[in-house]
Amino acid sequence: FMNEIIIIKKPRKTMTMTIKPDGQIFVYAPKNYPDHKIHQRIASKKTWIERTKQRISKKQLPQLTKEQCLLFWEIYTLVPIEETQTQEFLDTVQKILSIPKHTKKEERLRSLAKTYLHKKFSWRVAYHWSVVNRLFIRSQTTKRGTCSSKKNIWLNRKLITLPEWVIDYVICHELAHLTHMNHSSRFREHCRSLYPRTNEAKTWLKAHGHIVG
């Protein structure tokens, strides 16, 4: 399986491994980490890699049609509405999302992500008395969210595909970085204090997180 592996070295302290839906394996290692040790680590994880790939293949979602989209880990149907209708809607019971005629699917989902994530984020910030400079919602290839030393936070707009309780974890994870700009034991403890379901959410993301990053 070595031909399926892409090794990326960057400034970091630990080595991590991610398996994408197509079976591609990404290894992120510290810049000065010896290549032979990376390969030894990969070889030691062979059983885990095979089991994870099997689990991912079983958890693949069905192909969505042009009239469908994935929201909050549910398949929603897009229902066209007239441009003159000012009230767009999201029906979480019947799993329906309105979309104005002549509006592209991706454009509607970007708009929904911006509105939804800003609202959920603002509630969390107020609830935890956090101090944030600015929030940005954008498309990101691998990261679900990031936090800068200037207290700016970025959230991946694709987060709206995840269950709402997992989205809450991602937001709290970034809020915890406002206090701890690392992944130390203090950071993990703080993250759990902000969101008690942290361990459960992390386990869920390990099994399903290939959908977002």
Side-chain angles (χ1 to χ4, degrees):
F1 58 88
M2 296 300 291
N3 60 338
E4 302 173 345
I5 299 174
I6 294 178
I7 298 173
I8 300 174
K9 291 188 176 182
K10 55 173 62 177
R12 58 185 299 142
K13 294 182 178 180
T14 60
M15 191 182 102
T16 60
M17 194 178 303
T18 301
I19 303 177
K20 298 298 181 179
D22 60 358
Q24 186 77 66
I25 303 168
F26 285 82
V27 175
Y28 301 93
K31 273 190 173 181
N32 298 323
Y33 208 79
D35 289 343
H36 73 277
K37 286 191 175 182
I38 293 177
H39 286 88
Q40 287 176 358
R41 181 77 176 275
I42 294 172
S44 70
K45 294 289 185 178
K46 184 176 180 180
T47 301
W48 174 84
I49 290 172
E50 292 174 348
R51 288 178 179 174
T52 302
K53 289 174 69 174
Q54 290 176 0
R55 187 176 68 246
I56 287 177
S57 65
K58 291 179 181 179
K59 293 181 181 294
Q60 290 299 312
L61 291 168
Q63 290 294 319
L64 301 175
T65 67
K66 291 182 179 180
E67 292 75 33
Q68 294 178 323
C69 64
L70 182 66
L71 293 175
F72 316 123
W73 210 244
E74 300 277 359
I75 295 178
Y76 277 66
T77 300
L78 294 162
V79 176
I81 61 175
E82 296 295 335
E83 298 286 350
T84 53
Q85 289 183 248
T86 57
Q87 188 64 41
E88 296 180 351
F89 61 86
L90 173 67
D91 188 331
T92 57
V93 177
Q94 299 187 51
K95 304 295 182 285
I96 293 175
L97 174 66
S98 69
I99 179 170
K101 289 182 178 179
H102 310 301
T103 297
K104 293 181 179 180
K105 178 179 176 179
E106 284 302 308
E107 183 180 341
R108 177 69 173 100
L109 293 177
R110 278 197 299 269
S111 174
L112 175 66
K114 185 176 181 180
T115 301
Y116 173 85
L117 292 175
H118 266 283
K119 184 177 180 179
K120 180 171 277 289
F121 182 84
S122 296
W123 185 91
R124 279 285 170 185
V125 168
Y127 183 80
H128 297 296
W129 294 77
S130 300
V131 178
V132 179
N133 183 26
R134 292 186 66 184
L135 170 67
F136 300 89
I137 310 296
R138 69 182 186 186
S139 296
Q140 299 185 93
T141 305
T142 58
K143 294 184 178 181
R144 302 179 188 102
T146 55
C147 177
S148 75
S149 58
K150 295 182 179 180
K151 297 187 182 299
N152 293 324
I153 289 179
W154 287 260
L155 293 178
N156 192 328
R157 71 175 184 84
K158 292 181 182 178
L159 287 175
I160 60 172
T161 63
L162 305 183
E164 293 195 74
W165 66 274
V166 178
I167 298 174
D168 280 319
Y169 158 70
V170 175
I171 291 174
C172 288
H173 181 103
E174 298 309 326
L175 292 181
H177 276 311
L178 294 171
T179 305
H180 304 281
M181 292 297 294
N182 51 47
H183 288 94
S184 63
S185 58
R186 288 186 177 182
F187 163 81
R188 295 192 295 271
E189 183 179 348
H190 184 45
C191 193
R192 284 192 293 270
S193 71
L194 294 179
Y195 196 62
R197 296 182 70 181
T198 286
N199 291 342
E200 186 181 352
K202 289 172 68 176
T203 299
W204 190 96
L205 285 169
K206 284 183 179 180
H208 307 83
H210 58 278
I211 300 297
V212 182

